[in-house]
Amino acid sequence: MSIRGTAKARRGVAALAVAVGLAVCVAGCGGGGGDDGKPRTSAAASRDGGSDPSAQEGRSQEPLAELRGPDGLNLRVTSADRDPGGFVTVNAELKNDGSQDAVLSSQLTGNETEIMKNGQSFGGATLVDSKSRKRYYVLRDTDGRPLTTTGVQTVRAGDTVPIFMQFPSPPADTAEVTFQLPTFSTATIQISG
């Protein structure tokens, strides 16, 4: 192969590398969508292993509530933040205080067929606004996947798992709601923001 042919081949490989890099960025960077043309959501991020309960990590603060569950499970609600986009994100830590691994109940997923077909989740959680007499269920994406941490089936003894759930936002003047999760005690929490 001549020097001229080698240089041309290198430019072709470089151009291919740039094209692949751009394609990967369009598919996975913040502004693009998946290959189906739909924008990526929190549920897609959690499905891809990237659930990010995030902003609260690293902060040491008093929990909004602690709910006792079966088999030594304890749910510590760390925040309930109202977003200007019209939803509330509840962040929590699920800890196994028991001496044996705890298998999570399928009741946590809830009993709606559309959510159940997407596997184990915290889709059965609700917020109750007693002032407006309304119950808010976990949001879903356009494919019916719950906007919550998914795929957690077991919590080992002594382990803590961060989780999140997103709900429609109650009216702006509602700051206090009751948080409910099947098989756990209920608690009143304050919404911030």
Side-chain angles (χ1 to χ4, degrees), residues 17-164:
V18 169
V20 169
L22 286 173
V24 168
C25 187
V26 167
C29 294
D35 54 355
D36 59 356
K38 297 176 185 169
R40 292 174 56 102
T41 63
S42 297
S46 68
R47 185 186 69 231
D48 295 341
S51 67
D52 184 17
S54 73
Q56 302 306 315
E57 287 181 16
R59 281 193 212 172
S60 62
Q61 64 182 26
E62 286 295 313
L64 297 179
E66 291 195 37
L67 291 71
R68 306 259 344 134
D71 303 323
L73 291 173
N74 187 20
L75 185 73
R76 182 177 188 229
V77 179
T78 56
S79 70
D81 297 322
R82 190 184 313 267
D83 184 272
F87 58 88
V88 170
T89 301
V90 174
N91 289 299
E93 298 171 343
L94 182 61
K95 183 172 184 188
N96 182 353
D97 288 327
S99 59
Q100 297 183 1
D101 294 356
V103 176
L104 300 186
S105 169
S106 61
Q107 291 178 343
L108 296 175
T109 300
N111 58 9
E112 293 181 43
T113 306
E114 191 169 13
I115 289 182
M116 291 170 55
K117 72 180 181 183
N118 288 293
Q120 184 75 22
S121 73
F122 295 88
T126 59
L127 296 180
V128 177
D129 175 4
S130 56
K131 181 175 155 185
S132 299
R133 296 183 178 184
K134 289 190 176 182
R135 180 181 306 259
Y136 298 91
Y137 295 89
V138 169
L139 290 168
R140 292 130 184 95
D141 69 10
T142 55
D143 293 324
R145 292 182 297 256
L147 299 185
T148 177
T149 303
T150 59
V152 179
Q153 297 181 1
T154 305
V155 180
R156 293 183 179 201
D159 280 0
T160 300
V161 177
I163 63 170
F164 79 96

